Amino acid sequence: MAEQKKEQAVDTKQLLKVRREKLAELQANGQNPFEITKYDVTNHSREIKEHFAEFESKTVRIAGRMMSKRVMGKASFCNVQDLQGGIQIYVARDSVGEEEYKGFKKLDIGDLVGIEGFVFETKTGEISIHAEKLVLLSKSLQILPEKYHGLTNTDVRYRQRYVDLIMNPEVKDTFVKRSRIISTIRSYLDSQGFMEVETPMLVSNAGGAAARPFETHFNALNEDLKLRISLELYLKRLIVGGLERVYEIGRVFRNEGLDTRHNPEFTLMELYQAYTDYNGMMDLTENLYRHVAQEVLGTTTIVYNGVEMDLGKPFERITMVDAVKKYAGVDFNEIHTVEEARAAAKEHHIEYEERHKKGDILNLFFEEFVEEHLIQPTFLMDHPVEISPLTKRKPSNPDYVERFEFFMNGWEMANAYSELNDPIDQRARFAAQEEQFAAGDEEANHTDEDFLNALEIGMPPTGGIGFGIDRMCMLLTNSPAIRDVLLFPTMKSLGKESQ
């Protein structure tokens, strides 16, 4: 086996040498492909195939990467892959000329070419282009993975996404769908009167979520700054300023672990609407998810990992207390003190910390017993105040807040509130968060004095929500991991010895 690998390495080295020699020969003959600055493309592969009746016998110009080649004397075939897929090219010496045909025979798999010719159908029924002119647009000096084995190593796929996109058509399809998902979200919100805005990524106080931030230093001002973990506090300032419906789609950064659903930088969408509450946010979420699925997939029924989820039916709505009672058999309406909550936790083998209060323990029950059961679209409502520092209390029960998390497939897909607009209550909540930070909670919020000042200016009753765009893309493209919907996911740097 070791000897075989050694022979393969020698063969690869020789093949790479030959490619560079071919480039040198072209350059010596005044045919340097890297000096070509443009090529006028008129059409793409799928367009030609799907509308063959319109294109038959007409001249087209396409460009793309040569993925296969069969040389047969005076006539040859190759397959060229462009944005939309692949199409067969028929190259005959008598059509392109003797010199161009010689040049074609020296081309390598992976080379980028421009083809001008007329569209026809072969005897076997394959729609093709009969080349009349052929130009090498860029020389590939590396070797693509072998066609039949493909590129399957996930680590290499993520590190070399450019090769992954070339070799795996389904990967390209995933990212085309991701782009459509985001553009559909934008068009829907725009149609509902929302205004897209941008807020700072570098902030002095990274608030709005429970997460550990990345820290950096700004030399010009000699100040330590953080990368944002949320979009919330700046967007609420805009509500105060009179922009009644705002949203932002952007990257946020959380200094946390890597797994199938977490990447330290990811895409979040947050929106805020004045004069509504979390019920309005539930209606918006349900309508938006249904609309995006229909527009992008053509159906409101999606299948993820073999499980069917129906976005066409009304989404279930259940309180956290009722969900814990349903799945854990513990009724927190009957639990009135921290001591009783701790006793219930011990009885059900749930670990808690000394700083945890009744509401924290309720949430631990939810995470342990409920979350995995929320497969169909579900709004999990009315969280305890202890875990919701930016949310308006329920007037009927101030131990709980007007908040929901949207779940599908057992995953949290969105988080929404009736936003807290009482500056006095908000200051007290920040103070409680500072105490938690002092007690060891590194993800607790810090007091934001400017945000408190904005609330004192006056914020109207407001509903707000944050959507995880990447998880939405995972579900709608049936992708197993968040890295499969991020073009360039975070990876551990390769050491020099492994490069």
Side-chain angles (χ1 to χ4, degrees):
M1 181 65 73
E3 191 63 32
Q4 185 180 5
K5 285 186 177 180
K6 188 175 180 182
E7 289 176 4
Q8 288 174 346
V10 172
D11 290 344
T12 300
K13 190 174 181 180
Q14 181 60 32
L15 290 170
L16 292 173
K17 182 172 178 287
V18 168
R19 290 194 177 211
R20 291 181 182 271
E21 288 172 350
K22 288 180 181 180
L23 174 63
E25 182 182 348
L26 287 166
Q27 292 170 330
N29 293 331
Q31 298 174 322
N32 186 355
F34 299 126
E35 291 181 352
I36 295 174
T37 58
K38 63 176 293 189
Y39 186 81
D40 292 325
V41 174
T42 62
N43 302 100
H44 286 83
S45 56
R46 189 194 311 140
E47 172 192 14
I48 293 168
K49 289 178 175 180
E50 290 181 353
H51 303 282
F52 172 67
E54 299 173 24
F55 283 102
E56 187 175 13
S57 300
K58 290 185 179 178
T59 297
V60 295
R61 287 164 63 93
I62 73 158
R65 191 177 300 275
M66 186 180 295
M67 299 301 291
S68 65
K69 185 175 74 166
R70 288 178 289 139
V71 177
M72 302 178 297
K74 298 179 182 180
S76 302
F77 288 94
C78 68
N79 187 279
V80 171
Q81 178 176 292
D82 62 13
L83 173 68
Q84 296 182 352
I87 192 166
Q88 181 172 268
I89 311 296
Y90 174 69
V91 185
R93 185 188 67 181
D94 293 344
S95 296
V96 299
E98 191 163 339
E99 287 304 310
E100 276 197 27
Y101 192 64
K102 282 182 182 177
F104 166 77
K105 290 197 289 184
K106 291 182 179 180
L107 294 179
D108 292 305
I109 302 304
D111 286 348
L112 287 153
V113 295
I115 305 290
E116 181 177 328
F118 61 87
V119 179
F120 75 107
E121 187 174 6
T122 66
K123 292 178 182 178
T124 58
E126 184 165 358
I127 296 166
S128 307
I129 298 173
H130 185 127
E132 295 173 308
K133 293 180 183 177
L134 185 147
V135 58
L136 176 61
L137 300 174
S138 184
K139 184 69 183 168
S140 175
L141 301 179
Q142 283 286 352
I143 299 169
L144 292 175
E146 197 268 331
K147 179 181 177 182
Y148 294 101
H149 294 95
L151 180 64
T152 57
N153 182 295
T154 52
D155 190 73
V156 176
R157 285 181 49 229
Y158 298 146
R159 291 184 189 278
Q160 298 183 21
R161 184 67 84 186
Y162 42 91
V163 181
D164 191 25
L165 289 165
I166 293 168
M167 299 306 300
N168 297 314
E170 69 278 5
V171 172
K172 184 185 289 184
D173 181 61
T174 292
F175 288 104
V176 169
K177 282 181 179 172
R178 179 188 171 104
S179 179
R180 286 197 61 206
I181 288 166
I182 294 173
S183 65
T184 302
I185 290 171
R186 281 193 166 100
S187 64
Y188 179 81
L189 292 178
D190 292 346
S191 74
Q192 300 298 307
F194 283 85
M195 172 181 169
E196 185 173 10
V197 297
E198 293 178 314
T199 61
M201 290 190 183
L202 285 171
V203 295
S204 57
N205 185 353
R212 185 189 302 178
F214 288 94
E215 298 181 359
T216 187
H217 185 77
F218 182 27
N219 293 332
L221 295 180
N222 193 28
E223 284 187 2
D224 291 331
L225 295 174
K226 299 176 178 67
L227 290 173
R228 67 185 180 186
I229 60 172
S230 169
L231 312 173
E232 179 168 348
L233 301 185
Y234 280 99
L235 291 177
K236 285 182 178 178
R237 286 167 166 90
L238 299 180
I239 294 291
V240 170
L243 303 180
E244 294 182 1
R245 299 188 182 201
V246 294
Y247 75 96
E248 181 174 7
I249 299 174
R251 282 292 174 104
V252 296
F253 309 86
R254 298 183 182 180
N255 201 347
E256 55 190 16
L258 291 163
D259 60 32
T260 55
R261 284 184 283 160
H262 293 89
N263 194 72
E265 56 175 311
F266 61 98
T267 302
L268 184 65
M269 186 201 52
E270 291 196 33
L271 65 86
Y272 293 85
Q273 179 179 341
Y275 310 114
T276 191
D277 62 2
Y278 76 145
N279 292 299
M281 292 296 101
M282 279 187 247
D283 294 339
L284 186 148
T285 302
E286 189 165 337
N287 293 334
L288 176 61
Y289 257 80
R290 194 170 290 142
H291 175 76
V292 171
Q294 186 65 52
E295 287 294 309
V296 177
L297 304 179
T299 178
T300 56
T301 301
I302 65 172
V303 178
Y304 185 82
N305 198 25
V307 177
E308 188 174 286
M309 286 165 269
D310 191 353
L311 292 163
K313 295 179 180 177
F315 297 1
E316 182 182 0
R317 303 185 181 196
I318 186 170
T319 68
M320 184 180 281
V321 169
D322 287 344
V324 167
K325 183 178 179 181
K326 177 179 178 180
Y327 292 104
V330 177
D331 186 357
F332 267 74
N333 285 325
E334 301 300 321
I335 293 175
H336 305 290
T337 66
V338 175
E339 289 72 26
E340 290 173 350
R342 288 175 176 174
K346 287 177 182 177
E347 184 182 343
H348 289 80
H349 309 291
I350 290 180
E351 294 183 7
Y352 61 87
E353 298 176 26
E354 282 301 310
R355 62 183 175 84
H356 284 151
K357 299 177 181 176
K358 173 188 166 184
D360 299 298
I361 294 173
L362 169 61
N363 188 53
L364 292 174
F365 267 89
F366 166 74
E367 291 174 348
E368 180 68 26
F369 291 103
V370 180
E371 204 164 352
E372 63 182 348
H373 296 288
L374 305 183
I375 303 300
Q376 295 301 318
T378 303
F379 292 119
L380 190 281
M381 305 159 50
D382 299 353
H383 296 53
V385 70
E386 291 91 339
I387 63 168
S388 311
L390 298 164
T391 314
K392 186 171 285 192
R393 295 175 192 261
K394 291 181 68 65
S396 59
N397 190 348
D399 288 341
Y400 296 89
V401 296
E402 293 192 346
R403 172 184 174 187
F404 73 80
E405 291 173 289
F406 174 51
F407 280 86
M408 287 181 66
N409 193 50
W411 302 349
E412 178 200 338
M413 305 298 293
N415 188 21
Y417 312 149
S418 295
E419 302 297 335
L420 179 60
N421 63 342
D422 178 346
I424 298 169
D425 190 358
Q426 183 65 79
R427 182 174 290 279
R429 306 270 196 102
F430 276 143
Q433 288 283 299
E434 295 283 8
E435 289 178 8
Q436 289 187 31
F437 182 79
D441 184 357
E442 295 182 350
E443 296 185 347
N445 280 228
H446 293 285
T447 304
D448 187 326
E449 289 293 346
D450 183 71
F451 176 65
L452 288 170
N453 185 64
L455 291 187
E456 289 180 358
I457 295 292
M459 186 173 86
T462 298
I465 189 166
F467 285 86
I469 296 294
D470 305 304
R471 291 185 187 179
M472 185 182 197
C473 291
M474 286 173 66
L475 280 184
L476 294 183
T477 61
N478 197 20
S479 297
I482 191 171
R483 290 181 175 189
D484 295 312
V485 296
L486 297 175
L487 279 167
F488 300 102
T490 302
M491 305 287 288
K492 185 177 177 63
S493 298
L494 291 171
K496 289 183 179 179
E497 69 280 356
S498 58
Q499 288 182 344

